[in-house]
Amino acid sequence: MTLQSFQLDLATVLLLHQCSFLVGALCFLYTRWQSKRGEGLGTLAVGFLSLAMSSTLAGLGERSVLSHEIWTFGTFVFGLIGYSVFWVGMRQLSSGRRRRIDWLVLIIPAALIVTAVVTRFYLVDSLRGAVGNFVSFLSLAAATATVLHDRRPERLPVRIVLSCVIALSSLLALLIVVAMLTPAIAPMTPRWAFFIRIICHFAIALFVIILVKERAEAALRHVADTDMLTGVGNRRWFTSRMPKVMRGDDALLLMDLDLFKQVNDRFGHDTGDQVLVSFADAIRRNLNASGSFARLGGEEFAAYLPKTNALEAMKAAERLVDVIGKLEVDSNGQRVPLTVSIGVATSSDAGRSWSDLLKMADAALYAAKDGGRNRAVLYEKIAA
């Protein structure tokens, strides 16, 4: 049994089409009300309400409540504006920020509306439908590209599903254009394409809500895993990054700012905070990109370097000691002297636990302190 064997009542399809936009708009507005950061949700609601109005006018025209000229023009105008505003809303939602330049997209529907007024082509059903659905295709395709593009800085799983649903709706709009201009080669009738798009509208609303939810959860995880002063990971985050069993040639660098209490006593706690921030920034800039760096507490920091042997780990630690010794931190015109001691431990044999490596690095750190500070010490050297 094929889709074409079923008969769809156009008035019913239009009613469902209208309801899908209204439900979507209400979902967007409710989520915007509940969300602290709801960029784009209000704009998406306006876009869906405009599309609901377009569908409502088409339904009234189908029941001969409105004259042909009024409902065709109204449907055309609200449809063009609705999909253009939808693209703006999706841009705002996906990027998390508002850009005034995005609203320049309204030039396209404005130009088409002026053309329609002059030529009155909107009175021809096939032309009106083809133009309107082609704009819908372009808007939805652009929205799909936007959602996928913004996945790079914000890797939320729902982005893939949302982009697939929008892309399907975009493809269906293109199929409607084909069906209206060349019905002989169309794979499905416009009614069936509209019916499937109704499901897409509900799905878009659902996955937009999930996107907002996942984004809020990711923000909470970031707060829970981040040291609020320095912006690097905290102990909880760092521990979660560690493998339960260390592999061969994993390295741990345990760092402690030398005489940090004297910095606080001499220059004040505000300068002490500035020192910690500057120290964290310097280490982060000079650490291998594959490493994990975190503040464990107070003036103690740690870096995990996977696939790093003892020689490479010591070279990295000594470079960091040199970087911190040259770090410039100013306090009311006075240079704050900084040095760091680093304990280095490596897992030369696979099977050591994270706690074993931490104890080894801690012993090496104490040896660096006892040896005069401002240096890096390898655990294997003191254990030999």
Side-chain angles (χ1 to χ4, degrees), residues 42-105:
T43 307
L44 285 173
V46 171
F48 264 40
L49 287 173
S50 181
L51 292 169
M53 179 60 70
S54 175
S55 187
T56 299
L57 291 174
L60 293 174
E62 179 68 16
R63 295 193 295 272
S64 300
V65 176
L66 297 175
S67 68
H68 186 263
E69 182 165 352
I70 291 176
W71 78 259
T72 52
F73 183 72
T75 296
F76 183 70
V77 170
F78 281 108
L80 293 181
I81 294 175
Y83 278 110
S84 299
V85 172
F86 171 82
W87 177 79
V88 175
M90 195 57 67
R91 286 267 288 183
Q92 294 174 349
L93 175 73
S94 182
S95 65
R97 62 182 184 274
R98 299 177 182 179
R99 292 172 289 201
R100 292 183 180 179
I101 193 173
D102 291 341
W103 290 99
L104 291 177
V105 73

Short mmCIF file of all heavy atoms in Angstrom, two decimals, residues 42-105:
data_model
loop_
_atom_site.label_atom_id
_atom_site.label_comp_id
_atom_site.label_asym_id
_atom_site.label_seq_id
_atom_site.Cartn_x
_atom_site.Cartn_y
_atom_site.Cartn_z
N GLY A 42 12.19 33.64 21.43
CA GLY A 42 11.12 34.59 21.12
C GLY A 42 10.99 34.83 19.63
O GLY A 42 9.88 34.90 19.09
N THR A 43 12.12 34.92 18.95
CA THR A 43 12.11 35.12 17.49
C THR A 43 11.52 33.90 16.79
O THR A 43 10.74 34.03 15.83
CB THR A 43 13.53 35.39 16.99
OG1 THR A 43 14.10 36.47 17.72
CG2 THR A 43 13.52 35.76 15.51
N LEU A 44 11.89 32.71 17.25
CA LEU A 44 11.31 31.49 16.68
C LEU A 44 9.80 31.45 16.88
O LEU A 44 9.05 31.02 15.99
CB LEU A 44 11.95 30.26 17.32
CG LEU A 44 13.37 29.90 16.88
CD1 LEU A 44 13.93 28.77 17.74
CD2 LEU A 44 13.41 29.51 15.41
N ALA A 45 9.35 31.90 18.04
CA ALA A 45 7.91 31.93 18.31
C ALA A 45 7.20 32.87 17.33
O ALA A 45 6.13 32.54 16.80
CB ALA A 45 7.65 32.36 19.75
N VAL A 46 7.80 34.03 17.09
CA VAL A 46 7.20 34.99 16.13
C VAL A 46 7.14 34.37 14.74
O VAL A 46 6.15 34.49 14.02
CB VAL A 46 8.02 36.30 16.11
CG1 VAL A 46 7.55 37.21 14.97
CG2 VAL A 46 7.89 37.02 17.45
N GLY A 47 8.24 33.68 14.34
CA GLY A 47 8.25 33.03 13.04
C GLY A 47 7.17 31.98 12.91
O GLY A 47 6.46 31.92 11.89
N PHE A 48 7.02 31.15 13.94
CA PHE A 48 5.99 30.11 13.90
C PHE A 48 4.58 30.71 13.93
O PHE A 48 3.66 30.18 13.29
CB PHE A 48 6.18 29.14 15.07
CG PHE A 48 6.97 27.90 14.69
CD1 PHE A 48 8.06 27.99 13.85
CD2 PHE A 48 6.61 26.66 15.18
CE1 PHE A 48 8.79 26.86 13.50
CE2 PHE A 48 7.32 25.51 14.84
CZ PHE A 48 8.42 25.62 14.00
N LEU A 49 4.39 31.80 14.68
CA LEU A 49 3.07 32.44 14.70
C LEU A 49 2.73 33.03 13.34
O LEU A 49 1.57 32.97 12.90
CB LEU A 49 3.05 33.54 15.77
CG LEU A 49 3.00 33.05 17.23
CD1 LEU A 49 3.15 34.23 18.19
CD2 LEU A 49 1.69 32.30 17.51
N SER A 50 3.73 33.58 12.66
CA SER A 50 3.50 34.11 11.32
C SER A 50 3.12 32.98 10.35
O SER A 50 2.21 33.12 9.53
CB SER A 50 4.76 34.83 10.82
OG SER A 50 4.56 35.36 9.52
N LEU A 51 3.79 31.84 10.49
CA LEU A 51 3.48 30.69 9.64
C LEU A 51 2.10 30.12 9.99
O LEU A 51 1.38 29.63 9.11
CB LEU A 51 4.56 29.62 9.80
CG LEU A 51 5.93 30.02 9.23
CD1 LEU A 51 7.00 29.03 9.65
CD2 LEU A 51 5.88 30.13 7.72
N ALA A 52 1.72 30.18 11.26
CA ALA A 52 0.38 29.74 11.66
C ALA A 52 -0.68 30.63 11.03
O ALA A 52 -1.73 30.16 10.58
CB ALA A 52 0.26 29.75 13.18
N MET A 53 -0.40 31.93 10.98
CA MET A 53 -1.34 32.86 10.34
C MET A 53 -1.45 32.56 8.85
O MET A 53 -2.56 32.58 8.29
CB MET A 53 -0.86 34.29 10.55
CG MET A 53 -1.75 35.34 9.89
SD MET A 53 -3.46 35.32 10.50
CE MET A 53 -3.22 35.95 12.16
N SER A 54 -0.32 32.25 8.21
CA SER A 54 -0.34 31.89 6.79
C SER A 54 -1.22 30.67 6.56
O SER A 54 -2.06 30.65 5.64
CB SER A 54 1.09 31.62 6.30
OG SER A 54 1.09 31.16 4.96
N SER A 55 -1.05 29.67 7.41
CA SER A 55 -1.85 28.45 7.26
C SER A 55 -3.32 28.70 7.58
O SER A 55 -4.21 28.13 6.94
CB SER A 55 -1.29 27.37 8.20
OG SER A 55 -1.91 26.14 8.00
N THR A 56 -3.60 29.57 8.56
CA THR A 56 -4.98 29.90 8.91
C THR A 56 -5.70 30.57 7.74
O THR A 56 -6.85 30.24 7.41
CB THR A 56 -5.01 30.83 10.13
OG1 THR A 56 -4.40 30.17 11.23
CG2 THR A 56 -6.44 31.21 10.49
N LEU A 57 -5.02 31.52 7.10
CA LEU A 57 -5.62 32.21 5.95
C LEU A 57 -5.88 31.24 4.80
O LEU A 57 -6.91 31.33 4.12
CB LEU A 57 -4.69 33.33 5.48
CG LEU A 57 -4.55 34.52 6.44
CD1 LEU A 57 -3.50 35.50 5.93
CD2 LEU A 57 -5.89 35.23 6.61
N ALA A 58 -4.94 30.28 4.62
CA ALA A 58 -5.16 29.28 3.57
C ALA A 58 -6.38 28.42 3.89
O ALA A 58 -7.17 28.08 3.00
CB ALA A 58 -3.91 28.41 3.42
N GLY A 59 -6.55 28.08 5.18
CA GLY A 59 -7.70 27.29 5.57
C GLY A 59 -9.01 28.05 5.40
O GLY A 59 -10.01 27.48 4.94
N LEU A 60 -8.99 29.34 5.71
CA LEU A 60 -10.19 30.16 5.51
C LEU A 60 -10.52 30.30 4.03
O LEU A 60 -11.70 30.31 3.63
CB LEU A 60 -9.99 31.54 6.14
CG LEU A 60 -9.88 31.57 7.66
CD1 LEU A 60 -9.54 32.98 8.15
CD2 LEU A 60 -11.19 31.10 8.31
N GLY A 61 -9.47 30.40 3.23
CA GLY A 61 -9.70 30.46 1.79
C GLY A 61 -10.26 29.17 1.25
O GLY A 61 -11.13 29.18 0.35
N GLU A 62 -9.79 28.04 1.78
CA GLU A 62 -10.28 26.73 1.35
C GLU A 62 -11.77 26.58 1.65
O GLU A 62 -12.50 25.92 0.90
CB GLU A 62 -9.48 25.63 2.05
CG GLU A 62 -9.89 24.22 1.73
CD GLU A 62 -9.57 23.83 0.29
OE1 GLU A 62 -8.78 24.53 -0.37
OE2 GLU A 62 -10.14 22.81 -0.16
N ARG A 63 -12.23 27.22 2.75
CA ARG A 63 -13.65 27.15 3.11
C ARG A 63 -14.44 28.33 2.55
O ARG A 63 -15.59 28.53 2.93
CB ARG A 63 -13.78 27.10 4.63
CG ARG A 63 -13.20 25.84 5.26
CD ARG A 63 -13.63 25.68 6.71
NE ARG A 63 -13.09 26.76 7.55
CZ ARG A 63 -11.90 26.70 8.15
NH1 ARG A 63 -11.13 25.63 7.98
NH2 ARG A 63 -11.47 27.70 8.90
N SER A 64 -13.80 29.10 1.68
CA SER A 64 -14.44 30.24 0.99
C SER A 64 -14.92 31.32 1.95
O SER A 64 -15.87 32.06 1.67
CB SER A 64 -15.63 29.75 0.13
OG SER A 64 -15.19 28.83 -0.84
N VAL A 65 -14.26 31.43 3.10
CA VAL A 65 -14.60 32.48 4.05
C VAL A 65 -14.02 33.81 3.59
O VAL A 65 -14.62 34.88 3.79
CB VAL A 65 -14.07 32.12 5.46
CG1 VAL A 65 -14.31 33.27 6.44
CG2 VAL A 65 -14.72 30.83 5.95
N LEU A 66 -12.84 33.76 2.95
CA LEU A 66 -12.19 34.95 2.44
C LEU A 66 -12.13 34.89 0.92
O LEU A 66 -12.14 33.81 0.32
CB LEU A 66 -10.75 35.06 2.99
CG LEU A 66 -10.61 35.23 4.50
CD1 LEU A 66 -9.13 35.19 4.89
CD2 LEU A 66 -11.24 36.54 4.97
N SER A 67 -12.05 36.07 0.31
CA SER A 67 -11.93 36.11 -1.14
C SER A 67 -10.58 35.56 -1.57
O SER A 67 -9.62 35.56 -0.80
CB SER A 67 -12.08 37.55 -1.65
OG SER A 67 -10.97 38.33 -1.23
N HIS A 68 -10.51 35.08 -2.80
CA HIS A 68 -9.29 34.46 -3.30
C HIS A 68 -8.12 35.42 -3.25
O HIS A 68 -6.99 35.04 -2.88
CB HIS A 68 -9.52 33.98 -4.74
CG HIS A 68 -8.37 33.22 -5.30
ND1 HIS A 68 -7.41 33.80 -6.10
CD2 HIS A 68 -8.02 31.91 -5.15
CE1 HIS A 68 -6.52 32.88 -6.44
NE2 HIS A 68 -6.86 31.72 -5.89
N GLU A 69 -8.32 36.68 -3.60
CA GLU A 69 -7.22 37.64 -3.63
C GLU A 69 -6.69 37.92 -2.23
O GLU A 69 -5.46 38.03 -2.03
CB GLU A 69 -7.68 38.94 -4.29
CG GLU A 69 -6.57 39.97 -4.38
CD GLU A 69 -6.89 41.11 -5.32
OE1 GLU A 69 -7.92 41.03 -6.02
OE2 GLU A 69 -6.11 42.07 -5.36
N ILE A 70 -7.58 38.03 -1.25
CA ILE A 70 -7.15 38.35 0.12
C ILE A 70 -6.35 37.20 0.74
O ILE A 70 -5.26 37.38 1.26
CB ILE A 70 -8.36 38.70 1.00
CG1 ILE A 70 -8.97 40.04 0.55
CG2 ILE A 70 -7.95 38.78 2.47
CD1 ILE A 70 -10.22 40.42 1.31
N TRP A 71 -6.91 35.96 0.67
CA TRP A 71 -6.23 34.87 1.36
C TRP A 71 -4.95 34.46 0.66
O TRP A 71 -3.97 34.07 1.31
CB TRP A 71 -7.16 33.69 1.58
CG TRP A 71 -7.44 32.78 0.41
CD1 TRP A 71 -8.54 32.77 -0.38
CD2 TRP A 71 -6.61 31.69 -0.05
NE1 TRP A 71 -8.47 31.78 -1.33
CE2 TRP A 71 -7.27 31.10 -1.14
CE3 TRP A 71 -5.38 31.19 0.33
CZ2 TRP A 71 -6.76 30.02 -1.85
CZ3 TRP A 71 -4.86 30.11 -0.37
CH2 TRP A 71 -5.52 29.53 -1.45
N THR A 72 -4.90 34.53 -0.66
CA THR A 72 -3.66 34.16 -1.37
C THR A 72 -2.54 35.15 -1.06
O THR A 72 -1.40 34.75 -0.80
CB THR A 72 -3.89 34.09 -2.88
OG1 THR A 72 -4.50 35.32 -3.34
CG2 THR A 72 -4.78 32.92 -3.25
N PHE A 73 -2.86 36.43 -1.06
CA PHE A 73 -1.83 37.43 -0.76
C PHE A 73 -1.39 37.33 0.70
O PHE A 73 -0.19 37.38 1.02
CB PHE A 73 -2.36 38.84 -1.05
CG PHE A 73 -1.33 39.92 -0.83
CD1 PHE A 73 -0.28 40.07 -1.71
CD2 PHE A 73 -1.43 40.77 0.26
CE1 PHE A 73 0.68 41.07 -1.51
CE2 PHE A 73 -0.48 41.76 0.48
CZ PHE A 73 0.58 41.90 -0.42
N GLY A 74 -2.37 37.18 1.61
CA GLY A 74 -2.02 37.08 3.03
C GLY A 74 -1.19 35.85 3.33
O GLY A 74 -0.20 35.91 4.07
N THR A 75 -1.58 34.71 2.75
CA THR A 75 -0.81 33.48 2.94
C THR A 75 0.62 33.65 2.43
O THR A 75 1.59 33.23 3.08
CB THR A 75 -1.50 32.31 2.21
OG1 THR A 75 -2.78 32.07 2.79
CG2 THR A 75 -0.66 31.05 2.29
N PHE A 76 0.76 34.25 1.27
CA PHE A 76 2.07 34.46 0.66
C PHE A 76 2.95 35.34 1.55
O PHE A 76 4.11 35.01 1.84
CB PHE A 76 1.89 35.08 -0.72
CG PHE A 76 3.17 35.27 -1.48
CD1 PHE A 76 3.85 34.18 -1.99
CD2 PHE A 76 3.68 36.54 -1.69
CE1 PHE A 76 5.04 34.36 -2.70
CE2 PHE A 76 4.86 36.72 -2.39
CZ PHE A 76 5.54 35.63 -2.90
N VAL A 77 2.41 36.46 2.02
CA VAL A 77 3.17 37.41 2.83
C VAL A 77 3.59 36.80 4.16
O VAL A 77 4.77 36.84 4.54
CB VAL A 77 2.35 38.70 3.06
CG1 VAL A 77 3.05 39.60 4.09
CG2 VAL A 77 2.17 39.46 1.75
N PHE A 78 2.64 36.23 4.89
CA PHE A 78 2.95 35.67 6.21
C PHE A 78 3.90 34.48 6.10
O PHE A 78 4.74 34.25 6.99
CB PHE A 78 1.68 35.28 6.95
CG PHE A 78 0.96 36.43 7.59
CD1 PHE A 78 -0.23 36.91 7.07
CD2 PHE A 78 1.50 37.05 8.71
CE1 PHE A 78 -0.89 37.97 7.65
CE2 PHE A 78 0.85 38.12 9.30
CZ PHE A 78 -0.35 38.59 8.76
N GLY A 79 3.76 33.71 5.02
CA GLY A 79 4.66 32.58 4.82
C GLY A 79 6.10 33.01 4.59
O GLY A 79 7.03 32.47 5.20
N LEU A 80 6.29 33.99 3.72
CA LEU A 80 7.65 34.49 3.44
C LEU A 80 8.29 35.07 4.70
O LEU A 80 9.46 34.78 5.02
CB LEU A 80 7.61 35.56 2.35
CG LEU A 80 7.22 35.12 0.94
CD1 LEU A 80 7.27 36.32 0.00
CD2 LEU A 80 8.13 34.03 0.43
N ILE A 81 7.53 35.90 5.40
CA ILE A 81 8.06 36.52 6.62
C ILE A 81 8.35 35.46 7.69
O ILE A 81 9.38 35.50 8.36
CB ILE A 81 7.08 37.59 7.15
CG1 ILE A 81 6.98 38.75 6.14
CG2 ILE A 81 7.53 38.10 8.51
CD1 ILE A 81 5.94 39.79 6.51
N GLY A 82 7.44 34.50 7.83
CA GLY A 82 7.59 33.48 8.87
C GLY A 82 8.86 32.67 8.72
O GLY A 82 9.60 32.47 9.70
N TYR A 83 9.15 32.20 7.50
CA TYR A 83 10.35 31.38 7.32
C TYR A 83 11.63 32.21 7.42
O TYR A 83 12.66 31.71 7.89
CB TYR A 83 10.29 30.64 5.98
CG TYR A 83 9.45 29.39 6.07
CD1 TYR A 83 8.22 29.31 5.42
CD2 TYR A 83 9.89 28.30 6.83
CE1 TYR A 83 7.44 28.16 5.52
CE2 TYR A 83 9.11 27.16 6.93
CZ TYR A 83 7.90 27.09 6.28
OH TYR A 83 7.13 25.95 6.41
N SER A 84 11.58 33.45 7.02
CA SER A 84 12.75 34.32 7.16
C SER A 84 13.04 34.59 8.64
O SER A 84 14.20 34.54 9.08
CB SER A 84 12.54 35.64 6.41
OG SER A 84 12.35 35.40 5.03
N VAL A 85 11.97 34.88 9.40
CA VAL A 85 12.15 35.12 10.83
C VAL A 85 12.58 33.83 11.53
O VAL A 85 13.39 33.87 12.48
CB VAL A 85 10.83 35.65 11.45
CG1 VAL A 85 10.92 35.72 12.97
CG2 VAL A 85 10.52 37.04 10.88
N PHE A 86 12.09 32.69 11.07
CA PHE A 86 12.52 31.41 11.64
C PHE A 86 14.03 31.24 11.50
O PHE A 86 14.70 30.80 12.43
CB PHE A 86 11.79 30.25 10.94
CG PHE A 86 12.32 28.89 11.31
CD1 PHE A 86 11.92 28.27 12.48
CD2 PHE A 86 13.23 28.24 10.49
CE1 PHE A 86 12.42 27.02 12.84
CE2 PHE A 86 13.73 26.99 10.84
CZ PHE A 86 13.31 26.38 12.01
N TRP A 87 14.57 31.59 10.35
CA TRP A 87 16.02 31.47 10.14
C TRP A 87 16.77 32.38 11.11
O TRP A 87 17.78 31.97 11.69
CB TRP A 87 16.39 31.83 8.71
CG TRP A 87 17.87 31.79 8.49
CD1 TRP A 87 18.65 30.70 8.28
CD2 TRP A 87 18.75 32.92 8.48
NE1 TRP A 87 19.97 31.07 8.15
CE2 TRP A 87 20.06 32.42 8.26
CE3 TRP A 87 18.57 34.29 8.63
CZ2 TRP A 87 21.18 33.25 8.20
CZ3 TRP A 87 19.68 35.12 8.57
CH2 TRP A 87 20.96 34.60 8.36
N VAL A 88 16.28 33.61 11.28
CA VAL A 88 16.93 34.52 12.22
C VAL A 88 16.90 33.94 13.63
O VAL A 88 17.90 33.95 14.36
CB VAL A 88 16.25 35.91 12.21
CG1 VAL A 88 16.86 36.82 13.28
CG2 VAL A 88 16.39 36.56 10.83
N GLY A 89 15.74 33.41 14.03
CA GLY A 89 15.62 32.81 15.35
C GLY A 89 16.55 31.63 15.55
O GLY A 89 17.16 31.47 16.61
N MET A 90 16.68 30.80 14.51
CA MET A 90 17.56 29.64 14.62
C MET A 90 19.02 30.08 14.71
O MET A 90 19.83 29.47 15.41
CB MET A 90 17.35 28.71 13.43
CG MET A 90 17.94 27.32 13.62
SD MET A 90 17.33 26.45 15.10
CE MET A 90 15.61 26.21 14.66
N ARG A 91 19.37 31.15 14.00
CA ARG A 91 20.73 31.71 14.10
C ARG A 91 21.00 32.19 15.53
O ARG A 91 22.07 31.93 16.10
CB ARG A 91 20.89 32.89 13.14
CG ARG A 91 21.02 32.51 11.68
CD ARG A 91 22.47 32.38 11.28
NE ARG A 91 23.13 33.67 11.22
CZ ARG A 91 24.39 33.85 10.82
NH1 ARG A 91 25.12 32.80 10.51
NH2 ARG A 91 24.94 35.04 10.78
N GLN A 92 20.04 32.88 16.10
CA GLN A 92 20.20 33.38 17.46
C GLN A 92 20.29 32.24 18.47
O GLN A 92 21.14 32.25 19.36
CB GLN A 92 19.03 34.31 17.82
CG GLN A 92 18.98 35.60 17.01
CD GLN A 92 17.74 36.41 17.30
OE1 GLN A 92 16.80 35.94 17.95
NE2 GLN A 92 17.70 37.64 16.82
N LEU A 93 19.42 31.26 18.31
CA LEU A 93 19.41 30.13 19.24
C LEU A 93 20.71 29.33 19.14
O LEU A 93 21.31 28.97 20.14
CB LEU A 93 18.22 29.22 18.94
CG LEU A 93 18.16 27.92 19.75
CD1 LEU A 93 17.78 28.22 21.19
CD2 LEU A 93 17.19 26.94 19.12
N SER A 94 21.13 29.06 17.91
CA SER A 94 22.29 28.21 17.70
C SER A 94 23.58 28.86 18.19
O SER A 94 24.41 28.21 18.83
CB SER A 94 22.42 27.86 16.21
OG SER A 94 23.51 27.00 15.98
N SER A 95 23.74 30.15 17.90
CA SER A 95 24.98 30.84 18.30
C SER A 95 24.93 31.35 19.73
O SER A 95 25.97 31.63 20.34
CB SER A 95 25.24 32.01 17.35
OG SER A 95 24.23 33.00 17.47
N GLY A 96 23.72 31.53 20.28
CA GLY A 96 23.58 32.04 21.63
C GLY A 96 23.71 33.54 21.73
O GLY A 96 23.87 34.09 22.83
N ARG A 97 23.65 34.24 20.60
CA ARG A 97 23.75 35.70 20.64
C ARG A 97 22.91 36.31 19.52
O ARG A 97 22.58 35.65 18.54
CB ARG A 97 25.20 36.16 20.51
CG ARG A 97 25.88 35.77 19.22
CD ARG A 97 27.34 36.22 19.22
NE ARG A 97 28.00 35.96 17.97
CZ ARG A 97 28.58 34.81 17.65
NH1 ARG A 97 28.55 33.81 18.51
NH2 ARG A 97 29.17 34.65 16.49
N ARG A 98 22.59 37.58 19.71
CA ARG A 98 21.76 38.30 18.73
C ARG A 98 22.64 39.18 17.86
O ARG A 98 23.52 39.87 18.35
CB ARG A 98 20.71 39.15 19.44
CG ARG A 98 19.76 38.32 20.31
CD ARG A 98 18.78 39.22 21.04
NE ARG A 98 17.90 38.44 21.90
CZ ARG A 98 16.96 39.00 22.66
NH1 ARG A 98 16.80 40.32 22.66
NH2 ARG A 98 16.19 38.23 23.42
N ARG A 99 22.38 39.15 16.55
CA ARG A 99 23.13 39.98 15.62
C ARG A 99 22.14 40.73 14.73
O ARG A 99 21.34 40.10 14.02
CB ARG A 99 24.07 39.11 14.76
CG ARG A 99 25.21 38.51 15.57
CD ARG A 99 26.00 37.51 14.75
NE ARG A 99 25.23 36.30 14.53
CZ ARG A 99 25.77 35.12 14.21
NH1 ARG A 99 27.07 35.03 14.08
NH2 ARG A 99 25.02 34.06 14.03
N ARG A 100 22.21 42.05 14.77
CA ARG A 100 21.26 42.85 13.99
C ARG A 100 21.37 42.60 12.50
O ARG A 100 20.39 42.68 11.76
CB ARG A 100 21.49 44.33 14.29
CG ARG A 100 21.11 44.73 15.71
CD ARG A 100 21.30 46.23 15.91
NE ARG A 100 20.95 46.63 17.27
CZ ARG A 100 21.03 47.86 17.72
NH1 ARG A 100 21.48 48.84 16.92
NH2 ARG A 100 20.68 48.16 18.97
N ILE A 101 22.58 42.26 12.05
CA ILE A 101 22.80 42.07 10.62
C ILE A 101 21.97 40.92 10.07
O ILE A 101 21.62 40.89 8.88
CB ILE A 101 24.31 41.86 10.33
CG1 ILE A 101 24.58 41.99 8.83
CG2 ILE A 101 24.79 40.51 10.88
CD1 ILE A 101 26.05 41.97 8.49
N ASP A 102 21.61 39.96 10.92
CA ASP A 102 20.81 38.82 10.47
C ASP A 102 19.45 39.26 9.94
O ASP A 102 18.89 38.60 9.05
CB ASP A 102 20.62 37.81 11.60
CG ASP A 102 21.91 37.10 11.98
OD1 ASP A 102 22.85 37.11 11.18
OD2 ASP A 102 21.97 36.55 13.10
N TRP A 103 18.94 40.35 10.47
CA TRP A 103 17.61 40.81 10.06
C TRP A 103 17.59 41.35 8.63
O TRP A 103 16.51 41.57 8.08
CB TRP A 103 17.09 41.86 11.03
CG TRP A 103 16.75 41.29 12.37
CD1 TRP A 103 17.52 41.32 13.50
CD2 TRP A 103 15.58 40.55 12.72
NE1 TRP A 103 16.89 40.66 14.53
CE2 TRP A 103 15.69 40.18 14.08
CE3 TRP A 103 14.44 40.17 12.01
CZ2 TRP A 103 14.71 39.46 14.74
CZ3 TRP A 103 13.44 39.44 12.68
CH2 TRP A 103 13.60 39.10 14.02
N LEU A 104 18.76 41.52 8.04
CA LEU A 104 18.81 41.94 6.63
C LEU A 104 18.20 40.90 5.70
O LEU A 104 17.87 41.20 4.56
CB LEU A 104 20.25 42.23 6.21
CG LEU A 104 20.91 43.47 6.83
CD1 LEU A 104 22.35 43.58 6.38
CD2 LEU A 104 20.14 44.74 6.46
N VAL A 105 18.03 39.67 6.21
CA VAL A 105 17.42 38.62 5.40
C VAL A 105 15.99 38.99 5.02
O VAL A 105 15.45 38.49 4.01
CB VAL A 105 17.45 37.28 6.16
CG1 VAL A 105 16.44 37.26 7.29
CG2 VAL A 105 17.21 36.11 5.21
#
